[in-house]
Amino acid sequence: MGIKILMTVCMLPVLPIIYFVMKSEGTFRKNIVLGTTLPNEAQRDDDVLAIIRSFKRMLNQVGLGLLLMIIPAFFLEHSSIIIAYFLNWLVVVILLPYIPYVKHHNQLKRLKAASGWKTSKDQVRVVDLDAAKATYKKLSIQWLILPAFISLLPVINTIINLEDQLIAPLVVYVTNLLVNIIVIIIYGIIFKQRTEMIDANTDLSISLTRMRKYHWSKFWLMMTWFTSLFSLALWPFNSSQAILIISVIYSTLVALIAITTELNVRNVQHKLSRGSGKDFYVDEDDLWIKGIFYFNPNDHHLFVNARVGFNTSVNLAKSAGKAFVLIGLISMLSLPILSFWIIAEEFTPISIELTDNKLVGRHLSEEFSISIDQLQDIQLIKSLPNKYKISGTGFKTLSKGSFNVEGYGQCELLLNPQDDLFISFVYQGEQYIISRGDQAKTQELYKLLIH
Amino acid sequence: MLLRIDFSDETPIYMQIRNHIVSGIGSGLYKPGDKLPTIRTLANEAGINMMTVSKAYQVLKHEGYIYSNRRSGAVISSDLPTAIGIDPKIKTHLKHLLLEAKVQGSSLDDILAYCKEVFDSEGGK
């Protein structure tokens, strides 16, 4: 039950996040709705409003369906299947809401062409020279360097005092440090995004731009500080449970401030641009594929303001833009592949054999191959003491990797915790505990090892 | 004022920028002493190379429409170029345009009416 609750707590929040962000695409802001630029008169057009209503209805149905899809997970038994189910559910949650979005975007685009509202010429770029001269307050770099320096401290300390059980936390510290460094590098690039120009109103363009830069600068600042605090919070603890709990808290906080920032920005954009689009308005629809992906070979920018989703998108016309999207796609599609591997982890039987005077332990791949002449202190254990995982795999029927075992300290395990008999031994100063699944087979192996 | 850069137009981008600023001066939207965006800013806004913007500003400076220095950047000149009669370069362009309009069937009255409309717009002499 614990794993079901944990996965639900970690994964379920993604659904309302995506639902509310997608739902707000059905609200006019900057003369754009459902990724389509329309004149002001269209905001009161019956056909447009009908398409928006239909989109929201379909999105509600998709959202409800996705929520109900969680229920079967509570009837599943095996941890790996539960995890696999949630991972695949997550991919579906990310992708499925785009179906009502794309469907209604296409309808709106056809209506736009039929109503003669199409004004864009795809290779024209409009620049407001007066708005371009405006200056905006940029976050001072030292406010970003300081949290990066703080997140460096646990890295240095762990490297100096490195032991096996600190490798997993070290990975987290290094990741956090890299996150902060990347934010320092890209903040300047993202801050230089173009003025938010939606019509000829210079003051409106400046206000929209200033508001966006202000809110997202605040987000980047908070994110770097949360990331360094994440490292500091983890510092006193070494266990994978601590990493998991603190990671969940950190991810939740960052997600919350990202969503709050994006929804605040959208709300202000909606209010400020309410009266826009009556005469001239900027229409760059032809540069956006389905209103989602920006493709403009005449624009040298890599990062652009996103139309759908959070803050920033990439220019697909640039190789780096393609690479970003590809990496994102691969990351997302690797989740179903990962789920197969997790299931294989749980259901593949452990193999421990004596071959050519070597004790070979296998589970999916070779875990160890040890000369039996070097084994020391071989013992038979009738009941496995309490343990907690440092790194590796821990299912009900599989413990593989580094564990802290009561009375034994740090051990390498390859066993089924539900077995009745185990073999412990020391090899090159490292404590091992193994089992063969079957009590008789374990007993047999023990006899072979001691002789 | 809105600058429209048409990437499908045969006119080089630096000339489109130059033409826009000169038109802006002619229509009174840009007045002597008005600052233009920096090269870096305009290049960033338009998503084009800084060299392209730099070339446009160099042409404008050479023609006397703007001046620039480190402190103020590019500024609309108060000492705009003048010509006795019609500038020979403008005459050449105008001749081509008028002949093209004639081939397409535009009447002299329509052309003169349009010329008057442009001249009578704010800032026309």
Side-chain angles (χ1 to χ4, degrees), chain B:
Chain B
M1 192 175 173
L2 303 183
L3 162 65
R4 280 180 178 77
I5 298 175
D6 188 347
F7 292 96
S8 62
D9 196 328
E10 280 170 6
T11 311
I13 293 169
Y14 79 91
M15 279 305 292
Q16 291 186 44
I17 297 171
R18 177 258 173 211
N19 293 344
H20 164 82
I21 291 169
V22 171
S23 301
I25 296 169
S27 61
L29 286 168
Y30 291 128
K31 294 182 174 49
D34 282 351
K35 275 192 193 174
L36 294 176
T38 62
I39 292 172
R40 185 187 295 271
T41 300
L42 182 49
N44 186 51
E45 288 293 323
I48 57 179
N49 198 296
M50 273 178 23
M51 297 299 293
T52 306
V53 179
S54 176
K55 193 168 180 183
Y57 281 17
Q58 278 170 21
V59 168
L60 287 163
K61 194 173 170 183
H62 178 72
E63 291 173 344
Y65 290 108
I66 67 170
Y67 67 89
S68 66
N69 57 45
R70 280 197 169 196
R71 202 183 294 174
S72 54
V75 181
I76 304 295
S77 175
S78 51
D79 190 19
L80 292 169
T82 52
I84 298 167
I86 304 176
D87 182 88
K89 225 171 46 166
I90 293 176
K91 236 183 180 174
T92 310
H93 285 308
L94 207 47
K95 181 178 177 183
H96 287 137
L97 290 169
L98 287 170
L99 289 172
E100 191 174 340
K102 187 181 175 185
V103 163
Q104 289 183 5
S106 303
S107 69
L108 180 60
D109 287 337
D110 284 342
I111 291 169
L112 287 173
Y114 181 68
C115 287
K116 190 174 184 313
E117 188 188 316
V118 170
F119 258 75
D120 286 346
S121 66
E122 188 184 353
K125 285 187 186 168

Side-chain angles (χ1 to χ4, degrees), chain A residues 63-307:
Chain A
L64 183 63
L66 289 169
L67 185 63
L68 292 173
M69 269 176 71
I70 293 253
I71 295 172
F74 284 87
F75 296 97
L76 298 172
E77 289 300 323
H78 299 277
S79 298
S80 62
I81 296 178
I82 294 165
I83 295 170
Y85 187 89
F86 273 99
L87 286 177
N88 285 283
W89 177 83
L90 185 64
V91 174
V92 175
V93 162
I94 291 168
L95 294 176
L96 207 60
Y98 280 95
I99 293 179
Y101 170 84
V102 170
K103 180 185 168 187
H104 292 87
H105 164 82
N106 289 342
Q107 285 180 7
L108 212 47
K109 219 170 153 186
R110 283 193 294 270
L111 177 63
K112 178 182 177 179
S115 305
W117 291 329
K118 187 172 161 56
T119 64
S120 63
K121 200 176 159 193
D122 61 349
Q123 296 198 55
V124 173
R125 167 58 55 87
V126 182
V127 178
D128 185 332
L129 293 186
D130 293 322
K133 289 186 289 189
T135 53
Y136 305 97
K137 200 173 172 192
K138 190 177 165 185
L139 208 54
S140 176
I141 197 77
Q142 56 233 42
W143 288 109
L144 296 175
I145 288 177
L146 188 55
F149 176 73
I150 290 171
S151 55
L152 177 62
L153 299 176
V155 174
I156 295 171
N157 179 71
T158 307
I159 288 172
I160 291 169
N161 302 302
L162 189 61
E163 298 166 25
D164 280 350
Q165 67 259 34
L166 294 178
I167 290 175
L170 179 62
V171 169
V172 176
Y173 298 142
V174 170
T175 306
N176 290 349
L177 175 63
L178 286 174
V179 163
N180 280 346
I181 291 171
I182 288 168
V183 168
I184 291 171
I185 294 168
I186 67 170
Y187 172 70
I189 298 169
I190 291 175
F191 194 84
K192 278 195 284 192
Q193 283 169 347
R194 290 172 57 207
T195 302
E196 287 256 37
M197 199 196 144
I198 63 171
D199 59 18
N201 185 335
T202 299
D203 290 335
L204 176 60
S205 300
I206 292 172
S207 297
L208 286 170
T209 308
R210 176 166 289 128
M211 180 271 305
R212 186 189 193 108
K213 288 181 194 276
Y214 167 73
H215 281 285
W216 281 102
S217 293
K218 254 181 23 179
F219 165 76
W220 291 117
L221 180 65
M222 282 194 278
M223 190 188 141
T224 53
W225 279 99
F226 276 134
T227 305
S228 60
L229 288 174
F230 173 22
S231 289
L232 290 181
L234 190 59
W235 204 345
F237 309 103
N238 294 327
S239 68
S240 53
Q241 284 93 338
I243 294 174
L244 181 63
I245 292 166
I246 298 173
S247 299
V248 168
I249 296 170
Y250 163 76
S251 308
T252 307
L253 281 171
V254 170
L256 269 173
I257 56 170
I259 297 153
T260 310
T261 302
E262 179 63 28
L263 292 179
N264 280 345
V265 167
R266 288 180 183 215
N267 193 31
V268 177
Q269 286 172 343
H270 167 68
K271 285 178 184 166
L272 285 178
S273 60
R274 228 179 245 155
S276 173
K278 286 177 180 158
D279 303 310
F280 165 77
Y281 58 94
V282 173
D283 184 349
E284 294 184 341
D285 282 4
D286 289 340
L287 299 174
W288 290 85
I289 305 167
K290 301 297 177 194
I292 303 169
F293 301 108
Y294 182 69
F295 185 93
N296 186 359
N298 294 316
D299 187 347
H300 74 229
H301 291 103
L302 171 60
F303 295 111
V304 296
N305 294 332
R307 273 198 178 188

Side-chain angles (χ1 to χ4, degrees), chain A residues 349-355 358-370 372 375 398-400 412-416 419 421-425 432-438 441-442 444-446 448-449:
Chain A
I350 295 167
S351 158
I352 298 177
E353 303 295 336
L354 262 181
T355 318
K358 278 190 180 327
L359 183 65
V360 180
R362 282 198 188 88
H363 182 260
L364 290 181
S365 62
E366 189 176 282
E367 296 298 323
F368 56 78
S369 175
I370 298 168
I372 58 170
L375 296 184
L398 172 70
S399 292
K400 178 175 83 169
E412 290 300 309
L413 302 191
L414 182 62
L415 53 86
N416 181 341
D419 286 348
L421 213 55
F422 308 90
I423 300 170
S424 79
F425 58 85
Y432 285 74
I433 305 178
I434 61 174
S435 72
R436 287 183 95 184
D438 183 83
K441 285 183 181 172
T442 305
E444 183 196 343
L445 177 63
Y446 172 71
L448 286 169
L449 290 177

